[in-house]
Amino acid sequence: MDVKEQIKVLLREAEVYQRQGLYGEAKIKYGKAVDIIRSIERVKNREQLLEGIQAKIDAIEQSVQKIIKAEMHPKISARIQDLIQEKFSFSGDRDQASLEGAIALAKFGQYERALKEFDSLIGKDALRFEAAKNMIRCHLAMASADNADAAVDQYRQWLDADILSVEELHRIRAFLDTHLHQKGISAFLPIPGAKETVAEFEVGMPVSGTSDETEADLETPDEDMVDINAVSFALDHGPLKEKKFELEVSFQSGNTISFIIPGKETSLLDNLTVGHKIGDVQFFSSIAIFEASALVSAKTEIKSGPKQGSFSLDLKIMSA
Amino acid sequence: MAIFNLQKREIECKIVYYGPGRCGKTTNLEYIFKSFKKQISGDMVSIDTEGDRTLFFDFLPMGLGQIKGCDVRMQLYTVPGQVKYSSTRKLVLRGVDGVVFVADSLEIRRNKNMLALKDLEQNLKEYNMSIFKIPLVLQYNKRDLAEQGLPIMPIEMLEHDLNRQLKAPSFPAVAFTGEGVGTTLKECLKLTLKHLQKSLQWGQ
């Protein structure tokens, strides 16, 4: 194939890919055409041709940017919200189906409507805790990276109202505490039943990428896990291989438990990277000891407050 | 999972169009909406974003009339193909009864097809479903692009890449003109209803 024909083919392909919305592929083809044209001096109208192709590449770039910047969860009409609520609730039980519908709305980013739906379910004994927890999730998902005022205000409102039991409030507090901690937000969360209390921890700057995790977290109940007091495990690699460690749990939310590890424990901290799976962890609770594997799900340096320099480490209990 | 209302003698099932981004899932539904007027029982709902990319899902309700004494209602969905909408794809797939996997015939999309099929398998697995057992039809779309001189994969290559183990019914298509759209849907409906008849022991 002669060069002219080669360029023609590349441009034709690029145009079709562009029309199809296959921007990456279109850009590659335009790029190849540019390379060929640049390598040959004697192409007719060389500069105009290059300018024309560059304009097309720029247009693609603009389209790509628009897609990247497009809102992931735009507000949609009430009719479509109704459809989501109806079509994404599967339970035969009416109340449970209402909860599923509200969770689906939240998963599709329709947080305001989801909040209303969860609020209407708070009065139902069997759903109260799940509805409350998901309301906190919605508030957190709607909040900016370093602000969780609405979630904290909601928790405080429940503290003052006679809606949730003390036990439920404790669980909500632990849940909110963990999420604030993951976001690196310091907030004072009064302990249910206590007249005066202090915040358990203060951490510094927000940790990036946590809002998506909050959103992805909108899942089914995970609160059936017993309260874990401590864990014991041996490292399976590195210079401290087979050395046993015992750590005390500082807080727990469902199957995720958190620890504060002093910064000087560098060997341990270096071994516990996010995503690392630890096999044969012993979990100690007041009612049982059990073994399971665990996943390091977060590790955050505490940058201010009394624990400054220490690390907060989250372990997700995988399977017993 | 299909909803079987014994009192009303109604059965409602869900078919999901799955596949890589820009492969033509929404175009399939648009053609069905235009051309199967008799069976369409409501508006087509599309929630899309910049560049007509599906954001949440498309939804199209159909009524197939009475089969073995039951009113059969089919609901067609598409998933967003873009990689970043993984959790939405999984959510839309919940309760699925049949799947149409739309593959892009363009050679440059070969890898994307395979990744999307793997993604489907994984998401089904998370609902304890097997890609080998669910009613599944493959559609090889954009066959017309060869006429425009674009490199497309021969059917044999698509079959080898995607259907070697699945051995599902497969159809070439040009969703834009409607070629192969009806055949694909009919085959998927047939397989889905057969599967439901067997699993629900309906009509026996």
Side-chain angles (χ1 to χ4, degrees), chain A residues 12-13 16-17 19-23 25 66-67 70 72-74 76 80 83-84 87-88 90 100 107-108 110, chain B residues 22 45 47 49-50 53 55-57 59 75 77 82 84-85 88 91-92 94 106 108-109 142 145 148 150-151:
Chain A
R12 191 170 57 219
E13 274 188 54
V16 176
Y17 297 154
R19 268 206 310 273
Q20 299 246 334
L22 302 172
Y23 297 129
E25 288 82 354
K66 274 187 191 167
I67 291 167
M72 289 269 282
H73 296 126
I76 52 180
I80 299 177
L83 180 81
I84 288 176
K87 297 297 171 195
F88 292 89
F90 301 89
E100 286 176 357
K107 284 190 171 181
F108 282 112
Q110 307 305 302
Chain B
R22 312 299 295 169
V45 173
I47 309 163
T49 182
E50 259 319 310
R53 281 162 156 80
L55 178 60
F56 294 160
F57 56 84
F59 170 76
Q75 300 186 334
Y77 290 78
Q82 289 182 79
K84 64 179 173 180
Y85 294 122
T88 308
L91 189 60
V92 174
R94 187 168 171 193
L106 282 167
I108 45 156
R109 301 296 280 175
K142 304 190 189 175
L145 292 182
Q148 294 181 43
L150 293 180

Side-chain angles (χ1 to χ4, degrees), chain B residues 98-101 117 120 131 134-138 166 168-169 188 191:
Chain B
V99 177
V100 171
F101 182 85
L117 192 64
L120 169 65
I131 196 168
I134 194 159
L136 170 73
V137 174
L138 269 59
L166 294 172
C188 190
L191 291 180

Side-chain angles (χ1 to χ4, degrees), chain A residues 112-294:
Chain A
E112 283 176 23
R113 170 74 183 271
L115 273 171
K116 277 186 196 159
E117 301 297 332
F118 288 128
D119 197 34
S120 71
L121 296 171
I122 280 240
K124 299 190 187 287
D125 286 351
L127 307 177
R128 183 181 302 125
F129 177 70
E130 274 311 307
K133 196 169 79 172
N134 279 297
M135 283 179 78
I136 292 289
R137 281 175 166 151
C138 287
H139 282 305
L140 290 170
M142 285 161 80
S144 57
D146 56 353
N147 183 327
D149 290 352
V152 174
D153 286 350
Q154 179 68 79
Y155 168 70
R156 286 186 174 154
Q157 276 175 36
W158 285 331
L159 270 181
D160 296 337
D162 193 19
I163 297 171
L164 298 158
S165 70
V166 173
E167 195 214 325
E168 284 169 336
L169 283 168
H170 270 290
R171 290 163 73 190
I172 291 287
R173 183 180 180 279
F175 173 74
L176 176 57
D177 218 19
T178 304
H179 279 264
L180 292 179
H181 175 70
Q182 281 173 355
K183 282 191 159 203
I185 296 171
S186 120
F188 175 63
L189 298 177
I191 293 172
K195 281 193 173 171
E196 207 174 304
T197 181
V198 289
E200 279 190 4
F201 63 89
E202 279 190 15
V203 284
M205 294 302 291
V207 182
S208 62
T210 48
S211 58
D212 281 347
E213 284 158 25
T214 306
E215 179 195 328
D217 258 345
L218 284 155
E219 280 298 343
T220 44
D222 58 2
E223 300 298 320
D224 293 330
M225 182 61 67
V226 293
D227 286 338
I228 313 288
N229 303 319
V231 298
S232 170
F233 60 89
L235 291 177
D236 55 5
H237 68 289
L240 299 177
K241 192 177 171 186
E242 290 180 7
K243 186 182 171 189
K244 273 227 164 194
F245 288 91
E246 282 192 7
L247 301 174
E248 272 189 37
V249 175
S250 57
F251 20 80
Q252 176 176 357
S253 171
N255 61 351
T256 301
I257 45 181
S258 306
F259 311 87
I260 305 291
I261 301 176
K264 61 182 180 192
E265 297 272 6
T266 47
S267 314
L268 175 62
L269 287 163
D270 288 349
N271 274 283
L272 299 176
T273 51
V274 174
H276 178 70
K277 197 175 167 188
I278 315 168
D280 301 330
V281 181
Q282 278 195 309
F283 295 87
F284 301 94
S285 81
S286 52
I287 53 167
I289 300 171
F290 65 95
E291 278 198 14
S293 58

